[in-house]
Amino acid sequence: MLAMKILASRAAGETDKIESDLSDAVALMKVTKLATEQQLVDLLKECYPNLPGIVVPTMGPRIKAKIDTLLDAYRKAENEPDPTW
């Protein structure tokens, strides 16, 4: 589910859905304890082994930007309670 949230693509006008995907991904990172770029890349490689643009350091710019945004949001949410679902 986390890998799918990382790769989710939304239209620029779907800000509510974009924020929801980001929030969901941060919550899933807390649950799975995956909190580094390498761990997220490894997850993507495991779930989507044939997807181009995942290999570091030649990671595709879109995937790199999504992971960077996600890691930034995760750091900002570190002091928030873990999800309770």
Side-chain angles (χ1 to χ4, degrees):
M1 183 72 121
L2 176 55
M4 187 173 61
K5 287 289 183 178
I6 293 169
L7 295 178
S9 294
R10 302 285 185 175
E14 296 181 298
T15 54
D16 290 345
K17 290 180 181 180
I18 292 169
E19 287 300 316
S20 178
D21 284 339
L22 185 61
S23 176
D24 290 347
V26 167
L28 289 165
M29 286 175 69
K30 287 183 170 199
V31 169
T32 61
K33 308 292 188 224
L34 299 178
T36 69
E37 179 181 279
Q38 189 58 55
Q39 288 172 323
L40 297 177
V41 169
D42 290 345
L43 175 69
L44 290 173
K45 284 185 199 177
E46 183 177 337
C47 294
Y48 301 100
N50 298 318
L51 185 69
I54 294 179
V55 180
V56 175
T58 59
M59 187 185 312
R62 181 180 132 324
I63 293 172
K64 173 76 171 133
K66 291 194 84 166
I67 288 175
D68 289 345
T69 299
L70 181 55
L71 289 171
D72 186 49
Y74 179 81
R75 282 186 216 93
K76 289 177 182 174
E78 279 182 322
N79 294 326
E80 295 176 11
D82 288 349
T84 57
W85 14 267

